[in-house]
Amino acid sequence: MWAYTVGFTVLPHVGGFLGWFLNRKEIPAWYEKLKKPSWCPSRRVFPVAWTMLYTGMGYASYLVWNDLGGCSSKAIVPLGLYGAQLLLNWAWPPLFFGARNLNMVMGLPCRLWDTLGFSVPEKMAEKQEEPSNAQNGEPDNAEEGEGKKKKKVKREDLPPFEIVTGERLPAIFFKFQFRNVEYSSGRNKTFLCYVVETQGKEPSRGYLEDEHAAAHAEMAFFNTILPTCQPGARHDVTWYVSSSPCVACAQKICEALRKNKGLRLTIMVGRLFMWEEPDMQAALRSMKEAGCKLRIMKPQDFEYVWKNFVEQEEGEEAKSFVPWEDIQENFLYYEEKLAEILH
């Protein structure tokens, strides 16, 4: 009888494995870019959870089959219902990741997903409700003539990326986006604070953010900030970035460093972006080979960004930086991971 026990227990895992195999590329490419609530578990938890669930489901189906005398008339209804839900379970991952549409697959309106803390990626959002001004960092009740009508901002009217030079980013953005947590659910937006030092000139500084972005903040620096620097001169550039660059941005960084021999780039990152992926590890190593100095931000670096790039509320004295509880522990964690990748 052990063969039946093993067969029933293993059966649910077959469809689960196929679902993962068919969508393994969609998980880092799409799911990781969803804006998820803080309580959303890491994707590393899901294989463990589903292995336990499928094992329990499979063994339970064996117990039903065994207690009801095999494929008898009494077993048809419970095992049939079990088989139907198992097929639906197997079909869900290809539909969810293939369609890339939360509303179609889950049958929930967009506003309810927002309430739960999920947001859809840029391309999906274009097919749904246009964002309000408040979502774009502007007051939602912008006045328009005497009627004070709400002004709708179309996505095509938004800048490709937002550039703020010589200004300070809001403290709430810094505290959330720069926090060096191990599992960074919902922290998909990149903030890049930069300092450009050119011989004989005053250092220039500012920050970039890639919301509404066709280009990431790293790309924006090379497309808009670097061209304004004195040609032919040596530029010592330091970035303080909420997370390390993606593969495409890493390639752009390598190209820029090889093309511009006078550029010296140091990147201080709060977190490592998708560091477990082999292509991301290769991208980080290629940056080092191209001459980029990649470092994990220490508590002192977060304090430097706080003092030099974060705005204080009007009418208040400058507040000192208050480190979060696990800042040193997380710094050591990422420093160890980076050292393993680069060596």
Side-chain angles (χ1 to χ4, degrees), residues 30 49 55 64 73 78 184 190 233 240 247 255 288 325 341:
W30 178 69
T55 300
V64 172
S73 58
S184 55
T190 301
Y240 298 89
V247 173
E255 293 172 6
K288 178 186 176 183
E325 183 179 357
I341 294 170

Side-chain angles (χ1 to χ4, degrees), residues 49-60:
W50 278 108
T51 297
M52 296 173 64
L53 288 170
Y54 278 139
T55 300
M57 291 163 56
Y59 185 67

Side-chain angles (χ1 to χ4, degrees), residues 14-27 30 50 54 85-102 104-106:
V14 175
F17 175 79
L18 289 175
W20 167 83
F21 182 79
L22 292 173
N23 299 283
R24 65 192 187 282
K25 295 182 180 179
E26 297 293 339
I27 295 174
W30 178 69
W50 278 108
Y54 278 139
Q85 72 83 26
L86 190 59
L87 289 175
L88 290 173
N89 189 295
W90 288 347
W92 182 83
L95 285 174
F96 179 75
F97 291 105
R100 298 190 179 190
N101 193 316
L102 295 175
M104 183 190 76
V105 178
M106 306 305 290

